[in-house]
């Protein structure tokens, strides 16, 4: 027997006896519980049914209707009478047939076009009749058991998030790499026999773990196939947040989008009704953010579409700029660095965050452009996708150019009784400014103070004043700090406090 519950009934948890309740608690925290991220809201549908001894070694079917326009299906399944050795194995079919089966090893699962819980097939969620496939390998005579399935039909922004096994660490500075490629696009590495092959994504994650990164964003070119691999690997890499990203590669420039698994039309060309603004609006509607990559790289046969020549470009659609790219020739202060482009955005009055990314295509690479070099360091309220993206939006970010982890860079700026943290804005009252640095660096390092692109002063970290005074000046300003090593080499870049009229 199968029963469909009303949304009001579905919001109530199933009621089982005390032994079954304990088993339910165990099931919620067993290793398979990371298979899908259970939404916090009320399920859209709840199915329930009873089995008894007559169902021993039978296959049962629990149909339901998949509505039109669903982007992600999530199912959470449970049953009682486990203490009597009752076992129900789980699977699902769609209008075209088999979509997966996980037996009894996962208490919940998800299916979307881009990814699915291992054991299930990603792909379109075709409207029509779907059904849970329930296999009963064992139920004793005289035993009756109730099963329940909570079902969510997700759309839009709520469909994007992958499991965040590192949630719960609280506020802090988190280190990550925002630009990485694997064999899901053009990343390559040596095979066991020494041949160059498309590189398995897991090798990049191993390199990131060796670098002690807290998060990584895999940004394959114009595809989301890596989302399925990230979902599969996330439970095993539960000390690191895995963020689905994408490098949208166009004829007029490249840009990363973060936190998105849904389809994005990347085509921008004459005769196609699409453009940068439309893509950016879709990314933001889905809860993601957008960052322009290596904007000052030349475009040509050596790097097709790499430079930023985007028609109809609108700064208001941009969240961040890749100020430092690990693949840029001549380094972070060379003529191709993205920092001047970022400063152009600030000078135009827009709150855009400077970030870095290795743009790594081979996890065995060493030096500048290795996984985690440079590192983007984000102050976030937790190690979760939502918190990291919010931290980037806020500008509470600095770039560690060496990836060594021996620098920290932050500051506050005060004027006329008001104060702003790095990444925020401060009203220009016409009064002098006082900057309070919060720094850590290697022996012999120096702090460099700048207003936009204009250097103001340098101070050795060893005897840094408690506050640094800056004279008043009219108009829009971008007060920021950098760090240089004892040889004058740039090793860290901070974001700015925008002093606005």
């Amino acid at each position: 027997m199968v029963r469909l519950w009303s949304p009001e009934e579905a919001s109530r948890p199933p009621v089982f006896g005390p032994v079954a309740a304990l088993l339910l608690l165990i099931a919620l925290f067993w290793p398979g519980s990371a298979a899908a991220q259970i939404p916090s809201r009320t399920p859209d549908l709840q199915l329930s049914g009873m089995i008894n001894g007559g169902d021993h070694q039978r296959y049962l079917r629990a149909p339901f209707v998949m509505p039109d326009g669903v982007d992600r299906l999530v199912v959470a399944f449970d049953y009682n009478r486990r203490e009597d050795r009752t076992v129900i194995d789980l699977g699902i079919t769609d209008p075209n047939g088999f979509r997966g089966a996980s037996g009894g090893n996962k208490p919940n699962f998800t299916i979307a076009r881009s990814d699915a819980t291992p054991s299930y097939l990603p792909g379109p969620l075709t409207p029509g009749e779907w059904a849970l496939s329930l296999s009963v390998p064992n139920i004793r005579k005289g035993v009756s058991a109730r099963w329940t399935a909570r079902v969510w039909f997700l759309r839009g922004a709520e469909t994007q998030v992958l499991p965040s096994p590192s949630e719960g660490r609280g506020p802090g500075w988190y280190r990550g790499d925002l630009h990485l490629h694997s064999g899901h696009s053009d990343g390559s590495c040596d095979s066991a026999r020494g041949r160059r092959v498309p590189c398995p994504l897991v090798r990049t994650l191993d390199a990131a773990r060796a670098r002690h990164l807290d998060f990584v964003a895999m940004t394959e070119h114009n595809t989301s196939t890596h989302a399925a691999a990230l979902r599969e690997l996330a439970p095993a890499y539960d000390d690191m947040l895995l963020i689905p990203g994408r490098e949208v590669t166009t004829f007029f420039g490249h840009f990363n989008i973060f936190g998105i698994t849904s389809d994005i039309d990347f085509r921008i060309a004459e005769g196609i009704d699409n453009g940068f603004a439309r893509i950016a609006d879709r990314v933001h509607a889905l809860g993601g953010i957008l960052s322009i990559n290596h904007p000052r790289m030349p475009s040509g046969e050596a790097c097709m579409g790499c430079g930023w020549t985007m028609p109809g470009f609108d700064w208001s659609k941009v969240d961040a700029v890749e100020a430092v790219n690990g693949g840029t020739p001549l380094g972070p202060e060379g003529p191709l660095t993205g920092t001047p482009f970022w400063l152009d955005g600030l000078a135009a009055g827009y709150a855009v965050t400077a970030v870095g990314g290795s743009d790594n295509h081979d996890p065995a690479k060493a030096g500048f452009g290795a996984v985690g070099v440079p590192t983007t360091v984000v102050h976030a309220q937790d190690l979760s996708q939502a918190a990291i993206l919010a931290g980037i939006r806020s500008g509470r970010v600095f770039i560690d150019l060496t990836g060594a982890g021996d620098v920290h860079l932050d500051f506050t700026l005060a004027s006329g009784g008001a104060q702003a943290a790095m990444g925020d804005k401060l009203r220009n009252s016409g009064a002098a400014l006082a900057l309070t640095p919060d720094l850590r660096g290697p022996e012999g390092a120096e702090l460099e103070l700048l207003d936009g692109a204009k250097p103001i002063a340098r101070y050795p970290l060893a005897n840094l004043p408690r506050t640094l005074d800056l004279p008043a000046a009219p108009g829009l300003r971008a007060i920021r700090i950098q760090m240089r090593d004892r040889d004058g080499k740039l090793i860290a870049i901070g974001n700015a406090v925008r002093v606005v009229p």
Side-chain angles (χ1 to χ4, degrees), residues 175 400 402-408 439-443 461 483 491:
R175 303 174 56 80
D400 177 354
T402 70
D406 59 351
V407 299
H408 174 74
L439 302 174
R440 183 185 71 254
E443 185 176 354
L461 263 60
M483 192 182 298
I491 57 175

Side-chain angles (χ1 to χ4, degrees), residues 265-285:
D265 186 353
F266 59 86
R267 301 170 304 156
I268 300 176
E270 187 176 350
I272 297 176
D273 186 19
N274 195 29
F276 176 74
R278 176 173 289 188
I279 296 173
D281 287 345
R282 175 160 168 77
V283 169
H284 292 142

Side-chain angles (χ1 to χ4, degrees), residues 370-442:
V371 173
V373 186
T375 302
T376 299
V377 189
V378 180
H379 190 273
Q381 295 305 303
D382 203 352
L383 186 54
S384 69
Q385 179 172 297
I388 292 295
L389 298 189
I392 294 172
R393 286 190 198 97
S394 75
R396 299 285 291 141
V397 173
F398 70 89
I399 308 168
D400 177 354
L401 299 180
T402 70
D406 59 351
V407 299
H408 174 74
L409 193 154
D410 193 16
F411 71 96
T412 58
L413 193 66
S415 177
Q419 181 174 290
M422 180 176 69
D424 206 347
K425 66 181 179 180
L426 184 68
R427 184 65 57 187
N428 194 338
S429 64
L433 303 172
L435 187 148
T436 303
D438 176 13
L439 302 174
R440 183 185 71 254

Side-chain angles (χ1 to χ4, degrees), residues 256-260 283-284 287-291 319 388-389 392-393:
N256 276 344
I257 58 176
F258 303 112
I260 303 298
V283 169
H284 292 142
I289 64 173
L290 182 150
S291 177
D319 302 291
I388 292 295
L389 298 189
I392 294 172
R393 286 190 198 97

Side-chain angles (χ1 to χ4, degrees), residues 117-136:
T117 299
S119 304
Y120 294 87
L121 297 172
L125 300 180
T126 306
E129 184 175 284
W130 289 51
L132 298 181
S133 299
L134 308 181
S135 170
V136 186

